[in-house]
Amino acid sequence: MGTTGSGGALAFFAFVDEHRAAWRGLLASGSAPLTAEMAGIRRRQARLVAGLLIEPGPSGTASAADALTTAAQTADALANAINGAFEALAGWWQDNESMSAHDLTELMVNLVGPGLDSFAGLTAGPKGAHR
């Protein structure tokens, strides 16, 4: 999870921190229109994250198209898992305010980063991830 990922994580947790009451209200809402709107937002977030995870590859062959479809499905699955983890941790944070947005960012980067590096074919060393 590179600089973009940690920057995005910090932005998310900072937003939740600044809008704690609204976030708590969203988590508590069972209203059907709000639930439908939140589902739409989650789908858009997942597409955004999935797009960040997919690397362009060779094109022009059936196998390349199959590989791209598989990569897109994998990226979509990972994006939904990552977004779910962030939402769950933000929900937990509502009752456990002793940690800062920076603390939660570090936690998520350490949790999610190695898995994303693995999917990208990177290995972690003392100077960061590399192929």
Side-chain angles (χ1 to χ4, degrees), residues 7 25 27-28 41 43 48 50 52 59 78 82 95 98 108 112 115 123:
L27 293 176
I41 291 168
R43 282 191 301 275
L48 172 68
L52 294 171
S59 59
L78 291 172
I82 292 165
D95 296 322
S98 63
M108 288 304 289
V112 175
T123 56

Side-chain angles (χ1 to χ4, degrees), residues 9-10 13-14 17 22 32 34 40 44 53 57 63 65 67 70-71 78-79 93 101 106 109 113-114 120 128 130:
L10 181 57
F13 289 119
D17 194 28
L34 183 57
R44 287 190 300 276
L53 294 174
S63 60
T70 300
L78 291 172
W93 194 24
E106 183 177 346
V109 167
H130 61 282

Side-chain angles (χ1 to χ4, degrees), residues 24-104:
R24 187 173 281 120
L26 282 173
L27 293 176
S29 176
S31 168
L34 183 57
T35 302
E37 181 65 24
M38 287 175 59
I41 291 168
R42 285 184 179 114
R43 282 191 301 275
R44 287 190 300 276
Q45 288 174 332
R47 281 194 303 269
L48 172 68
V49 173
L52 294 171
L53 294 174
I54 295 176
E55 290 184 31
S59 59
T61 66
S63 60
D66 290 344
L68 184 56
T69 298
T70 300
Q73 289 173 336
T74 299
D76 187 48
L78 291 172
N80 279 279
I82 292 165
N83 288 348
F86 273 87
E87 281 189 33
L89 188 56
W92 172 87
W93 194 24
Q94 297 302 306
D95 296 322
N96 300 275
E97 296 183 24
S98 63
M99 296 181 81
S100 71
H102 288 279
D103 294 334
L104 296 179

